[in-house]
Amino acid sequence: MAYDNAEQLEEFRLEARKWLEDNCPPSMRTPMRDDEVVWGGRNATFKNPDSKAWLDRMGEKGWTAPEWPKEYGGGGLSRSEARVLEQEMRRIKARPPLFSFGLWMFGPALLEFGNHEQKLRFIPDIVKGKTRWCQGYSEPGAGSDLAGLQTRCEDKGDHYLINGQKVWTSYADKADWIFCLVRTDTSTKHEGISFILFDMKSPGVEARPIQLISGESPFCETFFTDVKVPKEQLVGRVNGGWDIAKRLLQFERSSISAGGFGGTGGSGILGPDEYAKHHVGTDETGRVADGDLRGRIADHKMYTKAFALTVQRQTEQAKAGQAVGHTASILKYAAAKMNQDRHELLIEALGTEGLGWEGEGFDKGAMRVTRQWLRSKGNSIEGGTSEINLNVIAKRVLGLKEHQ
Amino acid sequence: MAYDNAEQLEEFRLEARKWLEDNCPPSMRTPMRDDEVVWGGRNATFKNPDSKAWLDRMGEKGWTAPEWPKEYGGGGLSRSEARVLEQEMRRIKARPPLFSFGLWMFGPALLEFGNHEQKLRFIPDIVKGKTRWCQGYSEPGAGSDLAGLQTRCEDKGDHYLINGQKVWTSYADKADWIFCLVRTDTSTKHEGISFILFDMKSPGVEARPIQLISGESPFCETFFTDVKVPKEQLVGRVNGGWDIAKRLLQFERSSISAGGFGGTGGSGILGPDEYAKHHVGTDETGRVADGDLRGRIADHKMYTKAFALTVQRQTEQAKAGQAVGHTASILKYAAAKMNQDRHELLIEALGTEGLGWEGEGFDKGAMRVTRQWLRSKGNSIEGGTSEINLNVIAKRVLGLKEHQ
Amino acid sequence: MSFVLTEDQEMLRETATAFARDELSITHLRALRDAGANGKDAKTRQKLAELGFFGVIIPDEPGAETFGLTGLGQILEAQGATLAATPLLQTALIAASALQLGGSPAQQAEWLPKIAGGETTFALALDETAHFAPYNVSTEAERNGQGYTINGLKKYVPDAHHADMLIVVARTFGESGDRHGLSLFLVPRDAKGVTITELKTVDSHGAAHVTLENVNVAESALIGPADQGADILDPVLDRAAIGLAAEMLGSAQAAFDMTLEYLNNRKQFGQLIGSFQSMQHRAAKMFIDLEMTRSCVASALAAADDGKSDLAELASLAKALASELVHLVSNECVQMHGGIGMTDVADPGFYMKRARVQEALYGSASWHRDRYARLNGF
Amino acid sequence: MSFVLTEDQEMLRETATAFARDELSITHLRALRDAGANGKDAKTRQKLAELGFFGVIIPDEPGAETFGLTGLGQILEAQGATLAATPLLQTALIAASALQLGGSPAQQAEWLPKIAGGETTFALALDETAHFAPYNVSTEAERNGQGYTINGLKKYVPDAHHADMLIVVARTFGESGDRHGLSLFLVPRDAKGVTITELKTVDSHGAAHVTLENVNVAESALIGPADQGADILDPVLDRAAIGLAAEMLGSAQAAFDMTLEYLNNRKQFGQLIGSFQSMQHRAAKMFIDLEMTRSCVASALAAADDGKSDLAELASLAKALASELVHLVSNECVQMHGGIGMTDVADPGFYMKRARVQEALYGSASWHRDRYARLNGF
């Protein structure tokens, strides 16, 4: 860590600042709407040509994945440098150039468990946003009990043959490739699972969007019928996929708990206190007139603040080598509760204004809240249910035993 | 039920009213303080000679146990007559002449499971308040898991020999006799339990009061060392005690859920709304100034009202033959929550006035609240924990299955 | 007060339950939604009329016995179980009550038979803001030569997108917030100056904003004495809250039953999910709350029928508990169903969506807690 | 702001934790209680002085570094874990802060060394009613020739039954409820006209009512400018709330650890009670709340040391969360211990009793939620 002395870090900061000044288009320094998010991939769409330029430049430099090795197209930065880059981007309010399950979940796992050829083949395209990945994990019979999965993967000598069904595959209808858990041994549970990659254009793959209660369809049911997969696309060893799966779930929980829920966040949406002041009214001293509702909003805002401070504390402590362990489960649980409470309070504060679905007569922002309220109900289910997170905390953190 | 026609019932009402007018001393028609409760027994104490007269007259008539058979000293009344008697007593605000575990729990069980000789021997003295009974159920290693009890009962030919320890024996230091669960077979669990009765003056019995966090000592640890018990004092069959135990627990839960907690109730103690108005203050429209606290008090008062209506509904429905089943578990759970919430709110509303223990400087009524607040914490433990009640509801009422 | 239904009421309950199950299932609601019906369902209205459900609290002849609000409550509970959109709450309960409590003999003679027969449906146009606040009425009814001219805007009026008649609460005296000065008017939906803006709502029941622009009504359109409309409105709103609470109880019970069913069938980790103790305890607690709420709803219905003086208190109790219950149960229903609960093809989401509409109408839990406290003097 | 302790603070934390464990256990508190000490413990005071704990936020020489409130917070957390009754909150935190923030150079020179050395202890005499309401002061200080004459009654003053000096908040202008017009006075406990009524309290720490009857003090007894005492009082009370929150966090963590221990040892139905899923989920939720509260307490302590402008907001956050936490955990501690938890020989009850005192002092959760909302403009 000799390199990381303060002076050299300061030098890096100036370089990064200069580069960002030169390369981040002004339109990329404004708040991003949900429909402006860049997901990359073969069929990438860009609402604004600047989005493409910004992604290309950042991808070329490897700064979409600042800490990944240069060898595979990453930025090759140290943890400290990456943090400086983050600060500098925040300083100019630069948008994230790329949203990607490849960056957040699959890439880190492949770097840890993949072989050199696999990394060379897949990582650079993740960094540059050229391949959009989706995650083939849950199945109709395997939700919380993920290891109960049934999708068959048979060894046919020169290739694998895959048959089965996944659900809750995020954006499977838009993704180029899938990283997928499959069963390679039916005689055992956890030890019969493998981790495999294949192109979503392979014959026999079909993705059908699932309509949610919020009216949106970010997830798919995905069907595999005699899908042929080259053998070199299996990651790690045959029947060794469960360890990769677990590690990847940690990356997933961390990315959820750090980023919170709801993509770009609720820009343009007011807080429950503001809606309450507007719709419920205030007393002569400016307080929300309904004291009961006001107390519950205060309680929620405190929880939100406590959550932010906890993220900050755990980050600092991890930096200082005082990691608590399984913080992702703690934050995942709390983030789900927080986001759901927030939306319940928003809907309550909005009154009948929060009950619109579409069309005339309702405020557009309020209708977005209504949809997000329904969407937030998934927060305690997706990426590990709240119940599973409580189990993990009880057993792994608190050391409570199982029935004997 | 031909006898129970309306006319005859009306006749009984007039008789009962007349008898009560003649026999219930005026001082027995005033609210009762905690220290005026009559528990009967060999060493009965009466703060007021009228209490004794009232007990003697009611006991002689069998109206302390109105529905028990005349043969054993009971009132021999029908359900409808008993209800009329209750109404007439309430009309003149007559005090209950006797508090007694014999009346509430042991008597009903003995009438169901005992033989004729046992009933003749024990029931009349319960009715007249001459014998005070206590309950030997819980043990240090057998609380929620009552059937795990270890107190040994050995068959010594002409008598039983009992060795072991009970805890949470209510008023064991004041009781004359005990009804007790003992282990007569160690090779099996539920099927190795018997139900036995013995005199607390028997050699080898020792009762040590347990001091509670509230400072009071209503319960004892009770030790049995080579206690000899005549064989005719075993109720039902050897190893058949668990059925009696369960039935008796139902009587216990019903008596708790019907009567609520806290003996004679909180006479003289204000409600949380009144304490809040006094100590927290009110706004210009007379509302409790703290809107958050006010909302929580309202919530609690609503729960209390809902509880009372539920007791009433279940009574009426049972009368109409529409019993829900296991209502005791539902009401026991709710009564504990309600009483605990109430006392938390009382203490919160009292502020520092609710933090006194003894001596000068605090309001006497407030100090009683403080003690009752601590005592109320036992409500979700005694007579079947809230967790056990939830288990019972989940399995027996809702039909949820066990792990397989 | 009795918690036990009469034999007639019990039969009515069974009829209503069977009808809701057989003809007004959630599948029916989903089909209507997908067809863009937005809660408009003429066929169902016809069937309800045939069953006599519109006239449950209207005596066949003056002084005759009816099933009472308790009877109507059984029907609303049954339709709550399947989330059916019907005109019963607005018409058979609210309009019938308003006319019975405040209508002139002529009004009663004209409208009650039409209600009972399902010929005419109504909608109560009251709220002007996003939160229930019955005295916050700015809509003005000004005296003119022959009657009144009404101007104002009513927001989120349930059933106004299909009802034949409106009962408009307008101010004839004082200012917004005053209890005194309110008056109730009968206004045909097609009266000149009435504009109905149909709303597509989260529960697929629909509703409408109603704009009144120089709407002229005759003197005879006034229900009860001018300025004293609150004397009619208050007990009508209490009945509306109680009726809605009965509906909510039905919704909560149905969502709970669906959850239990799932708990006893779905496996994870080789075990029924209902065999996990944390699930069992959560289910048991919901059941206790259901039992409590059921008692409150029954008492409130009976209090209305018996003319009890604690009607307002019991109405607030029932509506507040039913609100908390229906949110708890519908949320747990989605959560315990896991991913499938989040999908539009499954039923749990429908309960959650309808629950927020049920809460918002005629006073939220928070509003009723506040009123309960006021009624209890603190 | 840093969530990571300095090496010095870490050592202080370890010392304090070991000292509390070894010398101030609950057994010690129980023994003091049974001896009727009522929180008076001269021996402990002596030891705290020897350890230097009274001077943790007082620099050895002007401008020198101290352990800061963060350091003192570690000690308070440690004493919270064993529920120890010490004069540290009143003396080392409140009195030291008041003198540092508002005292004249002469007052600082006179009193700060005496505080640091444990020679003089203090008690803040503020509240006059049963609820924390810092501006509701009716105690009057009237100017006389040489200084002031004070009259009034202070209720439930912590440590006043053994402290050497009082800091009395009195009104020199305006009326009860006004922020302006408060003044702070140094008053010896044995001053003429001061009556101390010792209170036996539920937590066995004791406290006292203080009556001031024509108590004469010199001009020099005034801390800071007259009438503007709230400018000193407000930040002092925020620090007090934060220090108490640290203590509460310690209590909650200890009660939680005790519960975990029991869950992992006690069997029922042949199983460890901690292996039942409903227990596991409840424990896990408590742990999450503990983690959240720990973050808030640490931030609030750091904000005081860094002179951050959001001190008030963070103080309310920490105190409110710590209140909810300590009630939840101490109640679950009793419940999960079952019958034994209800007995006086077991420790859980002590936590529950102390929790209510901790909540009542320097603002309840409800009070701080209200303030948090006000600070956030709603």
Side-chain angles (χ1 to χ4, degrees), chain B residues 150-164 182-184 196 198 203-204 224-231 234:
Chain B
Q150 304 285 342
T151 293
R152 284 290 292 278
C153 173
E154 291 164 278
D155 188 338
K156 293 292 181 184
D158 63 336
H159 66 273
Y160 292 110
L161 197 67
I162 296 179
N163 279 285
V182 291
R183 178 152 304 285
T184 36
I196 202 166
F198 52 93
F224 309 130
T225 315
D226 288 338
V227 179
K228 278 189 187 177
V229 179
K231 296 196 92 166
L234 191 139

Side-chain angles (χ1 to χ4, degrees), chain B residues 140-141 143-145 168 211-213 290 292 344 347-353 355 357 361 377-378 380 387, chain D residues 130-131 155 199-202 209 266 268-269 279 282 331 335 338-340 342-344 352-353 356 366 369:
Chain B
S144 286
D145 180 16
W168 309 116
Q211 198 184 351
L212 294 187
I213 56 176
D290 180 337
D292 179 301
E344 287 290 338
I347 288 292
E348 182 176 346
L350 279 165
T352 53
E353 188 70 40
L355 303 176
W357 187 247
K377 299 303 172 184
S380 49
E387 289 79 8
Chain D
H131 283 270
K155 290 188 82 170
L199 301 172
K200 296 213 162 156
T201 61
V202 70
H209 293 329
R266 168 81 172 172
Q268 289 282 281
F269 304 102
M279 295 287 129
R282 281 155 64 177
N331 272 283
Q335 178 69 21
I340 189 76
M342 282 297 292
T343 64
D344 185 71
M352 191 149 58
K353 291 172 177 175
R356 274 292 170 198
S366 201
R369 268 197 294 273

Side-chain angles (χ1 to χ4, degrees), chain A residues 139-146 168 189 210-215 279-280 290 292-293 296 340 344-345 347-362 367 370 373-378 380-381 385-388, chain C residues 33 127 129-131 155-156 197-203 209 266-270 278-279 282 327 331-332 334-346 348-350 352-353 356-357 359-361 364-367 369-370:
Chain A
E139 298 183 5
S144 287
D145 180 15
L146 182 58
W168 308 116
K189 194 170 175 182
I210 300 168
Q211 196 183 355
L212 294 188
I213 55 176
S214 59
H279 288 290
V280 180
D290 179 337
D292 179 301
L293 174 61
R296 288 180 288 121
Q340 291 176 342
E344 286 290 339
L345 289 167
I347 289 291
E348 182 175 346
L350 278 165
T352 52
E353 188 70 40
L355 303 176
W357 186 248
E358 60 190 12
E360 293 310 299
F362 293 102
M367 279 197 287
T370 311
W373 162 63
L374 291 163
R375 178 62 188 84
S376 74
K377 299 302 171 185
S380 49
I381 298 169
T385 65
S386 287
E387 288 78 9
I388 292 289
Chain C
R33 179 196 69 174
D127 281 322
T129 57
H131 283 269
K155 290 187 82 170
Y156 206 101
T197 310
E198 184 165 342
L199 302 172
K200 294 212 163 158
T201 60
V202 71
D203 61 347
H209 293 330
R266 167 83 173 171
K267 284 190 173 183
Q268 289 280 283
F269 304 104
S278 68
M279 293 289 128
R282 281 155 64 177
H327 293 316
N331 272 283
E332 285 286 61
V334 170
Q335 177 70 19
M336 291 184 178
H337 275 76
I340 190 75
M342 283 296 292
T343 63
D344 186 69
V345 297
F350 281 78
M352 191 150 59
K353 291 171 178 177
R356 274 292 169 198
V357 179
E359 157 137 40
L361 299 178
S364 66
S366 201
W367 191 91
R369 269 197 294 274
D370 173 68

Side-chain angles (χ1 to χ4, degrees), chain B residues 25 27-28 30-40 43-55 95-97 132 174 264:
Chain B
S27 71
M28 291 295 104
T30 61
M32 180 163 61
R33 290 199 320 268
D34 282 344
D35 60 355
E36 293 178 321
V37 166
V38 171
W39 284 95
N43 311 310
T45 53
F46 300 92
K47 282 246 159 185
N48 173 344
D50 284 351
S51 296
K52 183 165 181 349
W54 176 225
L55 170 60
R95 296 182 181 183
R132 183 169 180 178
K174 302 195 172 89
T264 52

Side-chain angles (χ1 to χ4, degrees), chain A residues 256-395:
Chain A
I256 291 176
S257 53
F261 291 99
T264 52
S267 60
I269 288 179
L270 303 175
D273 50 330
E274 293 156 312
Y275 278 123
K277 278 162 75 172
H278 183 70
H279 288 290
V280 180
T282 54
D283 67 13
E284 63 290 344
T285 67
R287 300 184 302 182
V288 170
D290 179 337
D292 179 301
L293 174 61
R294 177 174 178 262
R296 288 180 288 121
I297 293 175
D299 201 38
H300 163 69
K301 285 190 84 92
M302 286 185 161
Y303 194 85
T304 304
K305 179 84 178 172
F307 179 82
L309 292 171
T310 302
V311 171
Q312 201 181 331
R313 178 166 71 87
Q314 294 192 339
T315 309
E316 280 192 33
Q317 289 192 334
K319 220 167 92 184
Q322 306 172 351
V324 178
H326 293 281
T327 54
S329 283
I330 296 166
L331 296 178
K332 167 71 170 64
Y333 178 92
K337 174 182 152 48
M338 181 173 75
N339 202 42
Q340 291 176 342
D341 286 352
R342 173 180 153 84
H343 283 94
E344 286 290 339
L345 289 167
L346 282 168
I347 289 291
E348 182 175 346
L350 278 165
T352 52
E353 188 70 40
L355 303 176
W357 186 248
E358 60 190 12
E360 293 310 299
F362 293 102
D363 177 72
K364 293 271 171 287
M367 279 197 287
R368 251 174 72 209
V369 174
T370 311
R371 302 289 186 124
Q372 287 185 10
W373 162 63
L374 291 163
R375 178 62 188 84
S376 74
K377 299 302 171 185
N379 298 161
S380 49
I381 298 169
E382 61 203 302
T385 65
S386 287
E387 288 78 9
I388 292 289
N389 281 303
L390 292 176
N391 286 345
V392 169
I393 295 166
K395 284 168 188 155

